[in-house]
Amino acid sequence: MRHLIDIMDLSVKELDEMIEVAKDIIAHPDQYAHKCDGKKLATLFFEPSTRTRLSFEAAMYELGGNVLGFSEAQSSSAAKGESVADTVRTVGAYADIIAMRHPKEGAPVVGIRRSTVPLINAGDGGHNHPTQTLTDLLTISREKGKLEGLTIGLCGDLKFGRTVHSLINAMSRYPGNKFILISPDELRIPEYLKYETLEKQHIEYVETDDLEDAMPQLDILYMTRVQRERFFNEQDYLRLKDSYILTPEKLENAKEDLSILHPLPRVNEISVAVDDDPRARYFEQVRNGKFIRMALILKLLEEAKA
Ligand code: CP
């Protein structure tokens, strides 16, 4: 049974193929409208979500399938103490594929041990968010026409931001990419990522706290929210939450073809005045999330059939 827990579960060839399928869905949506007739997706969300849950649901509906699930742990039997493994096994009796978000790192790994259907990690704690990364890859590919030879600035909460971790892992697999990691000292990327992914593979990267200094070099600026829900104390969050606020003035030295991305939700880190800048691509990124999730559902259901 094929699942998706980590972006590294997919080979580069598979990533490229899924991106092509997503682009084909965008170009020819009618050809995909009945691909999942009679199939059901379960969305098990133990943690809040707008984009991931609703884009999965929209994706399955647009493939002709149906959706069931819950959007908070309190409305499931998890509130009575049921384990993730039992929940996943139970839901496998009702659905053909599962997308699960959970606040605990590693919960999807526990889930797949008992799952009888493909399980997709829709975000586990501060760890991974592979379908956001698929969304980001499709967006970068559509914006830049390539996934290699890019200078990518990641800015904000690089410690707890799970989308950042998955994106660094994914973009490190394409040649010639360089990372500029922009954060306060306390919110730098985890050491394991720095050593295991970047240094071991001799990938060029710089750590800095200066967004404006980095700006002129960037092809992609990936802004992130400071992850309040992962902080142990509120004072630290309040001190760090507005470390970076992107404004039109800060973009004055940016490239004309910069693409500004953000996994969303945003809080303060991108001023709404930036939204009208043609380089702001984060709402297009939201749209791409549905198409790449359609491609993922098709792939996993096809493999489950084989
Ligand atoms: N980007 C993302 O995961 O958004 P949601 O938390 O709204 O799903």
Side-chain angles (χ1 to χ4, degrees):
M1 181 66 61
R2 189 85 191 269
H3 307 281
L4 177 64
I5 302 301
D6 187 308
I7 196 69
M8 303 304 271
D9 296 344
L10 295 163
S11 67
V12 172
K13 181 169 174 281
E14 287 177 311
L15 293 175
D16 292 342
E17 283 168 358
M18 285 175 57
I19 288 167
E20 288 315 305
V21 171
K23 288 178 180 173
D24 197 56
I25 293 170
I26 293 166
H28 310 288
D30 293 352
Q31 291 177 14
Y32 292 85
H34 298 286
K35 293 272 186 192
C36 285
D37 281 356
K39 296 288 181 191
K40 289 189 283 286
L41 164 76
T43 51
L44 313 185
F45 276 62
F46 295 86
E47 202 184 48
S49 167
T50 297
R51 275 146 294 272
T52 310
R53 185 171 67 83
L54 297 182
S55 65
F56 262 118
E57 296 188 359
M60 193 51 158
Y61 285 127
E62 291 197 19
L63 290 166
N66 282 299
V67 176
L68 63 160
F70 54 82
S71 57
E72 53 179 344
Q74 284 309 309
S75 63
S76 78
S77 283
K80 302 176 208 161
E82 187 166 48
S83 67
V84 167
D86 283 358
T87 303
V88 164
R89 187 161 185 181
T90 299
V91 173
Y94 311 135
D96 302 285
I97 186 165
I98 295 172
M100 182 177 86
R101 172 171 288 187
H102 202 284
K104 284 202 179 131
E105 286 87 354
V109 176
V110 173
I112 60 171
R113 288 194 197 126
R114 303 302 296 276
S115 188
T116 54
V117 299
L119 187 147
I120 300 166
N121 178 9
D124 62 325
H127 192 216
N128 272 312
H129 193 349
T131 66
Q132 180 63 49
T133 306
L134 290 172
T135 302
D136 300 340
L137 294 180
L138 174 60
T139 305
I140 294 170
S141 174
R142 293 187 74 200
E143 295 297 321
K144 296 289 170 198
K146 62 179 185 176
L147 288 169
E148 54 194 50
L150 297 167
T151 299
I152 303 152
L154 297 128
C155 178
D157 184 351
L158 309 188
K159 178 178 180 180
F160 296 117
R162 58 192 173 196
T163 64
V164 166
H165 307 162
S166 297
L167 185 59
I168 290 174
N169 274 324
M171 290 301 281
S172 293
R173 299 164 85 187
Y174 292 90
N177 288 327
K178 174 182 169 184
F179 297 95
I180 303 190
L181 306 170
I182 308 151
S183 71
D185 266 0
E186 292 106 313
L187 297 179
R188 288 182 175 201
I189 63 164
E191 295 293 300
Y192 79 86
L193 196 58
K194 202 185 312 179
Y195 295 111
E196 292 301 318
T197 299
L198 298 175
E199 299 208 345
K200 262 194 187 166
Q201 299 182 84
H202 308 290
I203 290 162
E204 203 177 333
Y205 76 95
V206 178
E207 290 187 291
T208 176
D209 61 4
D210 193 336
L211 173 60
E212 280 152 288
D213 186 52
M215 191 68 84
Q217 303 174 60
L218 305 180
D219 299 307
I220 306 283
L221 172 58
Y222 194 92
M223 295 296 294
T224 62
R225 173 178 68 92
V226 174
Q227 306 268 307
R228 181 180 206 155
E229 62 276 33
R230 318 264 177 239
F231 274 75
F232 292 113
N233 86 61
E234 182 75 0
Q235 273 179 336
D236 283 349
Y237 168 72
L238 293 173
R239 183 168 52 80
L240 293 167
K241 73 182 175 73
D242 291 330
S243 299
Y244 300 98
I245 301 176
L246 187 65
T247 58
E249 296 70 40
K250 289 185 182 154
L251 286 164
E252 272 168 16
N253 292 327
K255 289 184 181 174
E256 280 188 13
D257 66 347
L258 171 72
S259 296
I260 306 164
L261 306 184
H262 190 311
L264 303 183
R266 77 171 145 191
V267 184
N268 263 344
E269 57 280 357
I270 302 181
S271 149
V272 290
V274 173
D275 294 359
D276 294 331
D277 189 310
R279 294 169 292 189
R281 307 305 295 157
Y282 29 91
F283 286 109
E284 193 56 30
Q285 193 179 357
V286 166
R287 283 170 46 77
N288 288 330
K290 180 183 70 180
F291 299 118
I292 198 74
R293 289 180 175 104
M294 290 170 80
L296 175 63
I297 291 168
L298 286 174
K299 176 179 175 59
L300 293 182
L301 285 179
E302 193 59 39
E303 292 192 21
K305 222 167 43 181

